Amino acid sequence: NLLEKVYQTNSLTKVEIIYLLENITPEDREILYSHALKTKQKYYGNKVFLRGLIEFSNICRQDCLYCGIRASNAKVERYRLTPGEILGCCDIGYDLGYRTFVLQSGEDLWYTAEILGALIQEIKKRYPEVAITLSIGERRVETYQSLFASGADRFLMRHETASKDLYEKLHPTMHFEDRQACLSTLKDIGYQVGAGFMVGLPGQTFADLAEDLRYLSEISPDMIGIGPFIPHSETPLGTEKGGTLEDTLVMVALARLLIPGSLIPATTALGTLNPQGRELALKAGANVLMPIITPTSVRKQYALYENKICGDDKPEDCRYCIERRIQAAGFEMDLGRGDSWQFSS
Ligand code: SAM
C-alpha cells in the first residue's frame, strides 16, 4: 500500500518511510524501482543528461571523517589546477559535447571569489550556452552572490545527513546548521540547488535515512546526489562497512518518487561499488551521469574513497563509455544543458 501511495501521491510521512525501509522485500524493491522509472519518464522521458565533471583541487580545509581528501590525510598528494588548466578542461569538454560543467573541489580558499568569478566569466564568454555548476563547499554569502553574478547557474552541496547528531560526529570542523543555511542561501540567491546524502554511513539508522528524505521533500532541491558511503583506509572510518547497492538504489527510487521533478545523478560511487551500479540507478529513477573530464595526470589524487573508477581514463574514454552504457541500458543521451523540471516550468 505504501508503494502505491508514494507512486500516486509523491508523498509519505517519515513514519511511513521508516516502516517501508524496515519491511521492504526484494519483490517490493522491484515494484519501487519500476514506479520510480515511470515517474522519471513522466517528467523527463527516456533522457539522461550528461555533466562534464572537473575536479580542480583536492586541497581541503575541512576534516570530514569519511573523506579521503580530508585535511588530516597527509598521504594524499595535493594538486590545484590553474584557471588556465580548468579552461583547458572546459575546451575539451565542450568539444566532447558537454553543455554543463561541474567545477568541484575540496574547500580550497586559494580560489577566491575574484579568481573563480573571472574563470566563470571566461567560460561563459567562450561558451555562452553552457551551464556552470559549482561544488566548492561552504563560503560566505557575499562569495555565493558574486559567483552567481559572474554567471554560475547551479550549486551542488550535499547536506550529507539531515540528522544533527550524526552530522556533528562526522564533521568535526563543521556545523549542521551552517550546511543547511548555505543551501537555503544558495536557493534564495537564485542558484539551481543540489542537496543529497550518503547511504550506509557508520551509525546511520533507517530513521536517519527517512529524515534525509523528509528534509529533501521540504526543501525540494533541483538536484539530488545520493551515493553509498565507501570507506577510505586513510580516514578514521577506514575499517567501517560501506553502504550497499540495494540500500542506495532504494533511496534513489524514493527520492525520485518524493521529489519527482528533480535531477538525480547515477553516481560514480555507485559505479565503483558495482560495475552495473549506474545503469541500475538509471532504472531506479536517476537521470543524470557525470563523466569525468579532470586531466588523467591528477585523477587518482581526487580519491574521496578507494578504487574510484575511471582513474586511468582520458576524458574521451569516459564520454564514449558513458554513451554506450546509456544506450545499452535502453535510455537516450541528451547533451543539452538539462535544467531541472521545476526550473524550466
Ligand atoms: N567540498 C565540496 C563539498 O563539501 O560540497 C565538494 C567536494 S566533496 C569531496 C563531494 C562529495 O563527496 C561529498 O558531498 C560527499 O558526499 C562525497 N564523499 C566524500 N567522501 C566519500 C566517501 N568516502 N564515500 C562516498 N562519498 C564520499
Side-chain angles (χ1 to χ4, degrees):
N1 279 347
L2 290 179
L3 295 175
E4 292 317 305
K5 180 183 169 189
V6 68
Y7 185 39
Q8 300 301 336
T9 66
N10 302 118
S11 70
L12 284 181
T13 66
K14 186 171 165 186
V15 171
E16 288 170 332
I17 299 171
I18 297 172
Y19 183 87
L20 188 62
L21 296 177
E22 279 172 348
N23 294 288
I24 197 160
T25 64
E27 294 74 41
D28 291 338
R29 279 205 288 264
E30 293 309 317
I31 296 168
L32 185 70
Y33 300 157
S34 142
H35 286 349
L37 177 59
K38 282 192 217 124
T39 302
K40 186 260 295 273
Q41 284 164 336
K42 191 165 129 199
Y43 285 79
Y44 291 102
N46 245 351
K47 291 177 191 159
V48 176
F49 299 117
L50 298 196
R51 295 15 179 142
L53 175 62
I54 307 168
E55 299 148 325
F56 66 90
S57 164
N58 69 352
I59 295 175
C60 192
R61 65 181 169 140
Q62 304 293 3
D63 218 17
C64 311
L65 296 196
Y66 46 79
C67 186
I69 62 166
R70 65 199 299 266
S72 295
N73 184 2
K75 296 214 174 145
V76 192
E77 200 184 323
R78 304 284 172 173
Y79 72 90
R80 245 181 210 138
L81 300 187
T82 64
E85 289 169 326
I86 300 171
L87 276 167
C89 295
C90 293
D91 292 339
I92 292 170
Y94 189 87
D95 287 345
L96 291 173
Y98 303 137
R99 295 298 177 262
T100 292
F101 298 125
V102 179
L103 307 187
Q104 190 180 85
S105 67
E107 284 200 18
D108 183 354
L109 300 183
W110 182 88
Y111 299 89
T112 58
E114 291 69 34
I115 291 177
L116 285 173
L119 173 65
I120 292 164
Q121 283 172 15
E122 180 57 32
I123 299 173
K124 284 279 173 141
K125 200 168 113 197
R126 282 190 197 181
Y127 306 118
E129 73 275 37
V130 306
I132 299 179
T133 305
L134 299 175
S135 177
I136 57 172
E138 297 184 21
R139 294 285 183 116
R140 291 167 38 224
V141 178
E142 299 75 38
T143 303
Y144 289 152
Q145 282 165 337
S146 85
L147 298 178
F148 186 73
S150 294
D153 301 276
R154 309 179 186 140
F155 204 108
L156 295 179
M157 182 186 281
R158 289 187 179 177
H159 64 276
E160 311 298 2
T161 168
S163 301
K164 183 174 163 68
D165 282 357
L166 185 58
Y167 186 94
E168 308 248 299
K169 273 186 205 138
L170 296 169
H171 302 95
T173 52
M174 295 159 86
H175 296 290
F176 179 71
E177 289 78 13
D178 293 347
R179 193 81 174 169
Q180 299 201 349
C182 282
L183 282 167
S184 114
T185 301
L186 290 161
K187 186 168 184 176
D188 290 346
I189 292 171
Y191 287 94
Q192 292 181 60
V193 170
F197 58 97
M198 277 171 285
V199 178
L201 288 164
Q204 189 179 48
T205 62
F206 287 142
D208 293 325
L209 290 169
E211 180 59 17
D212 284 317
L213 292 173
R214 191 210 59 76
Y215 173 68
L216 289 174
S217 300
E218 179 192 313
I219 66 167
S220 193
D222 297 285
M223 303 166 281
I224 300 176
I226 300 174
F229 157 65
I230 304 179
H232 186 299
S233 61
E234 295 299 333
T235 66
L237 305 181
T239 57
E240 299 286 344
K241 258 177 51 194
T244 66
L245 176 70
E246 286 73 23
D247 287 349
T248 309
L249 292 175
V250 164
M251 299 314 285
V252 165
L254 283 171
R256 168 59 65 207
L257 289 161
L258 293 169
I259 307 98
S262 56
L263 293 158
I264 303 182
T267 57
T268 308
L270 256 184
T272 300
L273 205 60
N274 183 297
Q276 286 293 306
R278 287 172 295 177
E279 287 84 339
L280 291 169
L282 294 178
K283 291 176 184 172
N287 64 334
V288 172
L289 281 165
M290 295 172 62
I292 301 173
I293 46 179
T294 310
T296 316
S297 56
V298 294
R299 276 184 188 210
K300 284 193 176 143
Q301 289 155 245
Y302 200 81
L304 312 178
Y305 43 83
E306 274 156 342
N307 304 317
K308 192 170 152 216
I309 50 174
C310 313
D312 291 317
D313 294 342
K314 295 194 279 300
E316 57 272 29
D317 300 329
C318 292
R319 163 73 175 74
Y320 296 107
C321 163
I322 291 276
E323 179 169 0
R324 277 194 302 277
R325 284 173 182 272
I326 292 171
Q327 284 167 355
F331 298 99
E332 287 159 35
M333 179 175 75
D334 187 314
L335 284 165
R337 266 174 62 113
D339 287 305
S340 76
W341 182 83
Q342 52 257 47
F343 183 83
S344 314
S345 50

